[in-house]
Amino acid sequence: MERNRGFSINGSWVKPQGCDRHIILNPATGEQVGTTLMANRIIVDQAVDVAERAFPAFSRMSALERSDILFRAAALIDARTDEMAHLLTLEQGKPVADNVKEISFGAVVLRYYAEEGKRIWGSIRPASSPDIRNLVSYYPVGVAAGIVPWNYPVDLYCWKIGPALAAGCPIVMKSPHETPLALAMVVDCLHEAGLPAGCIADLPGLGPVAGAALAEHPKVRVISATASVPAGQAILRAAAGNLKRTVLELGGHAPFIVTADADLEEAAMAAHRRSFSNMGQICITVNRILVDRRVHRVFAGLMADLANATVIGDGRDPTIGYGPVLNGSVIARTQAHVHDAVNKGGTLLAGGHQPSGMEFARGHFFRPTVIDNAPLNSLPMVEESFGPIAAIAAYDTEQDMLNIANGLDFGLAAYIYGQDLEHIWGLAEELDFGAVGVNVNDTSDLQAPFGGWRMSGLGRELGPEGLESYLETKHLKIRVRRRI
């Protein structure tokens, strides 16, 4: 496929003059994988204008027709998953098996909204007068925009385009300039599936340039972004110009709670996987592990053993379960968090350094890191590391644990492990987070809403709730003429 990509606008790939070009590097080797043009405000304006012109016809298309397009696109993605997964590994670094899982779920999301879009029905509501009828119905809100990060680009792309297209909203996507290549294949699948020209635009670019242009654009009626807290705040301020709807999935700082009666081996394996999957570059990754002091020492030892035994390497190697981080900035941030925690009194149990050896020399690798007795004011306990580091702290009482877990402004995901379900269910209900995994280390599920409390965001994706942001409500109050 073409690895020197441009923009998808009005159903075609274009490479206009005057745009910067970004070089895409393999995080495991430092080798050039391809390049992409970078969208500026002029390009964003062009794409939004095209989407606005496409909106009337697309919004009037039947839900069944839009559903058929999404089903066909999902089938095409399934047929190309292996090729797409290998390409995503080249540009992002995750092992191929993890990318197959990501891309396959993206296709499932499209199928889900292909069905949900056919269920946008209205209702007749009771009225205060016998000669009045209240009809409530729903309409697509207008041109949508989406901003997607580089860590799970295909998956999160589908989270946004699925409900938007199912609702009848053309969407302009600011894809990540770090990982735009596999997404180009997704766009091709949509066009081959029969999506009308102008109903999707794909514009790699920088958040402060292309993302900001979309957030403040007066013709964009809804914007959905997966981003950092500062980026989300900037989007919200810019969106105020025309009161556009915002769906913001922002930073997280997930606590992983281990109670005294938890199966410690099971909990440690779950915490290890959720801490170091994609090298911690996940919004719902485990940041801080809070362990009942009575089992703290045993649990910390299990975590250290698992981290030390973890084999990392090039994600193209089928025997590798953990790959590189994306770039040097992730390593620098992780190192800063390690040094801060250790300098404040934490104990380094595993990792904390870049691996040696020729196979790691040109890539961005960092050993899975475990810090025990991390002070509560140390960086990994208060800031999102977004890297391969797990910090452990012991607690004495459940109230102490709840105070620590709920003590930050983040509220995206939390996890709790224990064998007394009634007990940990009660504790889970006291955790101030948008989702809590109870004896499970993943909080996302296709049919349930995903999103955060407080500084972790606004609105919800997935589930029926994911469709609501792309719909306007209309009330028709009708007087009927009665014969008697």
Side-chain angles (χ1 to χ4, degrees):
M1 63 160 289
E2 173 65 59
R3 290 188 181 174
N4 297 297
R5 59 156 293 183
F7 310 120
S8 179
I9 300 175
N10 203 24
S12 300
W13 290 100
V14 297
K15 295 180 179 179
Q17 299 294 317
C19 295
D20 293 337
R21 184 169 286 278
H22 173 74
I23 297 174
I24 304 161
L25 302 177
N26 183 335
T29 65
E31 297 171 334
Q32 182 171 326
V33 177
T35 68
T36 181
L37 288 180
M38 301 283 279
N40 53 34
R41 289 177 176 269
I42 295 173
I43 299 299
V44 169
D45 286 344
Q46 292 174 358
V48 172
D49 286 345
V50 168
E52 185 187 38
R53 291 195 295 270
F55 174 64
F58 190 54
S59 64
R60 290 193 296 268
M61 181 182 287
S62 74
L64 183 59
E65 290 177 284
R66 294 196 295 263
S67 173
D68 287 345
I69 292 169
L70 289 174
F71 271 118
R72 288 194 296 268
L76 290 168
I77 290 172
D78 280 340
R80 299 169 191 176
T81 292
D82 287 342
E83 179 186 0
M84 205 179 295
H86 280 82
L87 183 56
L88 185 52
T89 294
L90 287 177
E91 57 182 340
Q92 198 272 342
K94 285 199 307 295
V96 171
D98 286 352
N99 286 330
V100 167
K101 182 180 178 181
E102 173 186 345
I103 294 161
S104 297
F105 186 68
V108 170
V109 170
L110 295 187
R111 289 191 179 92
Y112 176 81
Y113 284 109
E115 289 290 352
E116 285 298 305
K118 294 185 290 188
R119 301 187 182 98
I120 303 173
W121 45 57
S123 59
I124 299 178
R125 307 286 178 86
S128 56
S129 172
D131 61 346
I132 294 296
R133 302 292 182 267
N134 290 315
L135 275 67
V136 178
S137 53
Y138 302 93
Y139 296 81
V141 67
V143 175
I147 297 175
V148 173
W150 48 262
N151 58 336
Y152 282 88
V154 174
D155 188 13
L156 296 174
Y157 201 88
C158 292
W159 287 25
K160 298 178 192 328
I161 66 171
L165 297 177
C169 297
I171 187 164
V172 179
M173 296 295 296
K174 191 212 78 67
S175 53
H177 64 281
E178 302 94 339
T179 58
L181 300 179
L183 290 175
M185 295 184 66
V186 173
V187 175
D188 284 341
C189 289
L190 286 160
H191 287 144
E192 289 180 38
L195 185 68
C199 291
I200 189 167
D202 186 81
L203 314 176
L206 296 172
V209 180
L214 285 170
E216 65 190 38
H217 205 291
K219 295 180 180 179
V220 172
R221 296 306 314 166
V222 56
I223 185 166
S224 175
T226 303
S228 66
V229 172
Q233 292 171 319
I235 290 167
L236 195 59
R237 286 191 291 267
N242 70 331
L243 295 180
K244 65 170 58 66
R245 295 185 185 182
T246 55
V247 181
L248 302 175
E249 193 265 280
L250 308 179
H253 201 287
F256 187 102
I257 298 156
V258 182
T259 61
D261 70 337
D263 182 322
L264 297 185
E265 290 190 358
E266 177 187 359
M269 287 189 289
H272 173 269
R273 179 59 182 167
R274 185 48 60 200
S275 296
F276 303 121
S277 177
N278 197 17
M279 286 289 97
Q281 300 166 127
I282 311 176
C283 57
I284 58 171
T285 199
V286 171
N287 289 97
R288 51 207 164 118
I289 304 175
L290 309 179
V291 188
D292 189 297
R293 193 174 298 279
R294 289 169 288 182
V295 296
H296 163 243
R297 183 172 298 178
V298 174
F299 181 87
L302 291 170
M303 281 293 293
D305 290 343
L306 288 168
N308 284 323
T310 301
V311 179
I312 64 176
D314 192 322
R316 291 173 292 182
D317 183 341
T319 67
I320 293 297
Y322 301 84
V325 300
L326 182 74
N327 54 36
S329 67
V330 178
I331 291 177
R333 182 173 59 248
T334 303
Q335 288 174 325
H337 282 211
V338 172
H339 292 159
D340 185 75
V342 172
N343 289 340
K344 289 177 178 174
T347 302
L348 183 64
L349 297 184
H353 60 88
Q354 295 176 259
S356 59
M358 289 299 297
E359 67 271 34
F360 304 114
R362 298 179 61 194
H364 300 294
F365 292 93
F366 200 86
R367 287 295 309 172
T369 299
V370 177
I371 297 176
D372 194 21
N373 295 313
L376 297 183
N377 66 342
S378 62
L379 287 179
M381 295 295 282
V382 297
E383 293 184 6
E384 187 176 25
S385 299
F386 217 69
I389 177 173
I392 302 174
Y395 67 86
D396 293 303
T397 70
E398 289 180 346
Q399 189 58 57
D400 289 340
M401 176 271 289
L402 290 170
N403 289 341
I404 297 168
N406 293 332
L408 302 180
D409 287 335
F410 300 101
L412 185 59
Y415 310 91
I416 185 166
Y417 271 69
Q419 297 192 66
D420 184 342
L421 182 58
E422 289 184 2
H423 177 222
I424 60 172
W425 188 338
L427 291 175
E429 291 187 346
E430 294 190 61
L431 293 170
D432 298 334
F433 294 82
V436 180
V438 179
N439 287 329
V440 64
N441 68 345
D442 186 7
T443 59
S444 60
D445 196 284
L446 177 58
Q447 301 196 49
F450 182 89
W453 290 12
R454 304 190 303 280
M455 297 297 285
S456 287
L458 299 169
R460 291 297 182 267
E461 296 183 286
L462 300 183
E465 292 85 352
L467 197 59
E468 293 172 2
S469 296
Y470 301 92
L471 297 171
E472 286 281 20
T473 305
K474 178 177 286 188
H475 168 216
L476 297 183
K477 184 175 181 180
I478 304 171
R479 185 182 303 279
V480 297
R481 184 172 298 155
R482 301 178 66 85
R483 295 180 59 192
I484 298 176

